[in-house]
Amino acid sequence: MMILLPLAAIAAATPPADPTITLRNAHGMVVRLIPQGAIVTAVEVPDRDGHRANVVLGYPTPADYRAKIRKSGFGATIGRYAGRIGGARFAIDGRPVTLVANDGANALHGGGPQGFDTVDWTPAAIRRDSVRFTLVSPDGFQNFPGRLTVSVTYRLADDDALHIDYRAQTTRPTVLNLTNHSYFNLAGESSGSVDGQYLQLRAARLVDTDAGGIPSGRFTPVAGTPFDFRCPHTIGERIAQPPLTPRGYNHAWLFDKPAGTLAPVARLVDPGSGRTLTIETTEPSIQAYTGGYIDGSDAGPGGHVYRPGDGIALEMQHLADSPNQPSFPSTRLRPGETYRQTTIWRFGVAAKGAPAC
């Protein structure tokens, strides 16, 4: 006997189409993305023996990102303001702006329960090796002024470099600070701790902050501290030394380069696999975060349950609380201006042994 189901029941039983967009280059490198948050869900690169692995943390399915992205921000485009704004408020042209506090008294990543990571971007110009995502953010989103038109373009080059280009325009004076929140583990996303991977930063100064992560306006020399990565050090070498807390690194450094220039600023090396990541950016600073708030309840695509220290986020951005810090590089954007930012993730392999300074 044939049983006829209502159309609504048929629709409910039909799984949604996978929205994943896959980029490939001539060398077999693969980058996977989804429209929600213009999120990078996977980056598959070879080791020194040619074995390919996904080197960014993430969730197994697009539905998991929909339900959980606000927990850790895996792979997401962060906006309107990456980092913290003190007291969840600032003024622009003398007009006060009050945000929705979501990190104690402060606004983190723009504040409130929604951000650029929770909304769907529109993919366009999809090619084998590139895609452009666009978003029109309404005036008042997260309480920020201005209707914002934003795009982020991912382009995968044949030299295993992923170029990320951001553009934005506004209808009212506002502030804007964008970044990508991918967590890297060059041994592979299911391999556990990154403590044994080497980090190098082109930065002689650390951003001084209070206990809530709000900058004081001062910069402190890294020399003689656990924050000195001018020469390569393993991430775990000094992670337990004061003034670091059990949550590890979650700090910002100011790069030693002219503002707005594209230059190499960070390098990550996994000595076991030989995989390397060199990052170039036009941005003035980095927030390096070793995932100290990962709660140990979520598994990645490979089935490994992520724990603190299983990845490191290397966020190229402007400084936290810049709208309240006149001496910091400006994050203001006015009508008629175009926000521009470029960051490049350049993957490669290295010979065995510790990297040289």
Side-chain angles (χ1 to χ4, degrees):
M1 180 176 66
M2 181 180 294
I3 299 175
L4 298 178
L5 295 176
L7 289 177
I10 294 173
T14 303
D18 185 349
T20 302
I21 296 167
T22 301
L23 310 183
R24 302 178 189 274
N25 71 4
H27 290 166
M29 180 176 164
V30 173
V31 176
R32 304 187 196 278
L33 310 108
I34 57 174
Q36 181 199 331
I39 289 171
V40 176
T41 62
V43 176
E44 300 171 11
V45 292
D47 64 9
R48 65 165 65 92
D49 297 317
H51 300 134
R52 202 169 68 190
N54 174 22
V55 297
V56 294
L57 306 193
Y59 295 115
T61 70
D64 292 318
Y65 285 92
R66 185 71 65 190
K68 301 176 181 179
I69 192 60
R70 294 299 268 182
K71 293 181 68 175
S72 298
F74 292 142
T77 301
I78 301 298
R80 285 192 179 194
Y81 199 97
R84 293 172 172 85
I85 294 180
R89 62 182 183 273
F90 66 95
I92 187 162
D93 295 342
R95 294 190 298 273
V97 177
T98 302
L99 307 176
V100 180
N102 61 350
D103 185 59
N106 306 315
L108 176 63
H109 299 331
Q114 291 187 312
F116 283 3
D117 53 337
T118 66
V119 298
D120 289 335
W121 297 54
T122 301
I126 302 173
R127 298 181 175 87
R128 177 185 62 87
D129 57 359
S130 65
V131 62
R132 182 177 70 251
F133 291 97
T134 59
L135 177 69
V136 178
S137 179
D139 186 5
F141 182 76
Q142 292 182 307
N143 290 355
F144 285 87
R147 181 177 182 265
L148 204 67
T149 302
V150 194
S151 71
V152 55
T153 301
Y154 295 93
R155 180 174 61 85
L156 180 55
D158 283 339
D159 61 355
D160 289 353
L162 182 65
H163 297 243
I164 310 174
D165 293 300
Y166 304 82
R167 299 289 185 270
Q169 293 182 316
T170 183
T171 60
R172 296 174 60 196
T174 192
V175 297
L176 183 65
N177 191 23
L178 302 178
T179 194
N180 181 278
H181 207 281
S182 289
Y183 297 66
F184 298 97
N185 186 328
L186 296 185
E189 63 87 20
S190 290
S191 62
S193 174
V194 296
D195 277 0
Q197 296 179 27
Y198 286 86
L199 178 65
Q200 185 174 12
L201 300 176
R202 186 180 165 186
R205 291 178 291 171
L206 185 76
V207 181
D208 181 71
T209 64
D210 64 19
I214 302 302
S216 66
R218 300 187 301 273
F219 302 97
T220 58
V222 298
T225 76
F227 305 102
D228 190 352
F229 286 96
R230 291 173 295 173
C231 286
H233 290 273
T234 61
I235 294 168
E237 179 180 339
R238 300 163 298 174
I239 202 168
Q241 293 182 13
L244 286 159
T245 73
R247 295 196 186 273
Y249 290 103
N250 191 12
H251 297 80
W253 287 254
L254 187 68
F255 292 132
D256 303 328
K257 71 179 185 71
T261 59
L262 181 66
V265 293
R267 192 166 190 256
L268 189 65
V269 179
D270 175 48
S273 69
R275 293 188 186 94
T276 66
L277 168 62
T278 301
I279 301 181
E280 303 169 27
T281 192
T282 56
E283 293 299 274
S285 71
I286 179 177
Q287 183 82 19
Y289 169 50
T290 51
Y293 290 91
I294 293 175
D295 64 12
S297 65
D298 296 309
H304 173 75
V305 176
Y306 296 139
R307 303 187 184 282
D310 280 359
I312 180 168
L314 301 172
E315 304 164 55
M316 305 296 141
Q317 59 190 54
H318 271 60
L319 297 165
D321 203 39
S322 290
N324 294 314
Q325 302 283 349
S327 65
F328 284 5
S330 177
T331 55
R332 290 184 181 180
L333 180 66
R334 299 185 181 279
E337 299 175 342
T338 299
Y339 171 99
R340 292 180 173 87
Q341 183 210 135
T342 295
T343 291
I344 302 172
W345 300 344
R346 196 175 298 280
F347 293 92
V349 291
K352 292 182 179 180
C357 186

